Amino acid sequence: MPGMLAGKIAIVTGGSTGIGLATAKCFASEGARVFVTGRRAAELADAVAAIGPGATGIQANSADLADLDNLYARVRTEAGRIDVLFANAGGGSFLPLGEITEEQYEDTFSRNVKGTLFTVQKALPLLADGASVILTGSTAASGGTPAFSVYAASKAAIRAFARNWILDLQGRGIRVNVLSPGPTRTPGLVGLVGPGAVEQQGLLDQMAAQVPLGRVGEPDEIAKAALFLASDHASFVTGSELFVDGGAAQI
């Protein structure tokens, strides 16, 4: 039986670890040919090996426009089109109001807002009519988190992109949706508090206590939601925000 993405060409940015890697694996298992990007060559090579046959890794920083041009030149040559674009690359850090620096602001908005904007805009010539574009949001944009305002603001911008881009893309049948995970056990999340295992588990426990389901999410759970948005099962879903958060943003 063919997979949900059989014959599709998919791009997953930030696909070396965490949610991006889990989603790339999921897309590949459902029949897609997957191109993944990452900033670190060694992690990217490991990810491609984990995803399996048919995966292609392209080292790229999504906030670097030259890197994006190289990415899409490769995709044009090797695949000719894009059916699914998961603009997932991004990140953030903790700093409370009063201690926010220009460097933190520039880094966060460059990775999350600039990177997402130009990842999608530069893909437009390759996006097939009827393609699915998925943007990574966050429950942080829907509520308050101490010392996380810059990250939250950047993810609120992502939500605004989807609402407006579906109007810009009228006539092409391209769907644009936001996938907003809640607290999820990823290297990026636990790394916010440093490399210590005790501190990392403490952060996960603190976040789990605020989730109605009583636990944090796993990357595979987010990937399954991304698969739905990527597939024809979501053919009448666009401009939406899909929360995969254990209920955290709903209370």
Side-chain angles (χ1 to χ4, degrees):
M1 184 174 179
M4 292 171 65
L5 299 180
K8 301 289 189 181
I9 307 299
I11 310 291
V12 178
T13 66
S16 295
T17 64
I19 290 169
L21 177 56
T23 301
K25 288 179 179 178
C26 182
F27 285 0
S29 73
E30 290 292 335
R33 180 180 179 187
V34 182
F35 292 82
V36 295
T37 74
R39 294 187 296 172
R40 293 172 289 274
E43 286 186 3
L44 183 61
D46 290 343
V48 170
I51 296 163
T56 300
I58 301 174
Q59 190 172 359
N61 176 353
S62 293
D64 186 316
L65 273 57
D67 281 3
L68 291 175
D69 288 338
N70 176 64
L71 164 66
Y72 292 129
R74 286 276 306 275
V75 173
R76 179 180 289 105
T77 298
E78 298 180 25
R81 70 177 194 281
I82 300 169
D83 300 301
V84 180
L85 174 60
F86 185 23
N88 169 70
S93 56
F94 287 124
L95 279 179
L97 184 64
E99 298 179 21
I100 294 168
T101 64
E102 183 177 10
E103 289 75 19
Q104 188 216 22
Y105 169 83
E106 294 288 357
D107 178 67
T108 304
F109 270 73
S110 181
R111 294 167 68 184
N112 295 341
V113 182
K114 177 185 176 183
T116 298
L117 165 60
F118 288 104
T119 293
V120 176
Q121 180 165 286
K122 285 181 173 291
L124 290 179
L126 286 171
L127 284 172
D129 289 351
S132 171
V133 175
I134 305 166
L135 314 179
T136 297
S138 172
T139 54
S142 300
T145 304
F148 219 32
S149 63
V150 174
Y151 177 83
S154 74
K155 290 301 185 177
I158 299 303
R159 182 67 187 98
F161 278 161
R163 285 192 170 107
N164 289 273
W165 288 348
I166 60 172
L167 300 176
D168 292 338
L169 294 171
Q170 280 182 326
R172 294 192 59 187
I174 295 172
R175 298 180 294 109
V176 183
N177 292 290
V178 179
L179 177 60
S180 288
T184 307
R185 191 191 311 272
T186 65
L189 177 65
V190 299
L192 290 171
V193 292
V198 172
E199 290 79 8
Q200 291 183 355
Q201 189 58 51
L203 175 65
L204 293 175
D205 291 344
Q206 176 186 354
M207 289 184 162
Q210 301 170 18
V211 176
L213 283 183
R215 62 178 178 84
V216 299
E218 300 296 335
D220 287 348
E221 295 179 296
I222 315 303
K224 290 171 184 175
L227 174 62
F228 165 70
L229 292 175
S231 76
D232 290 340
H233 290 303
S235 59
F236 200 52
V237 180
T238 193
S240 72
E241 182 171 16
L242 176 57
F243 289 97
V244 189
D245 65 349
Q250 315 311 319
I251 56 174

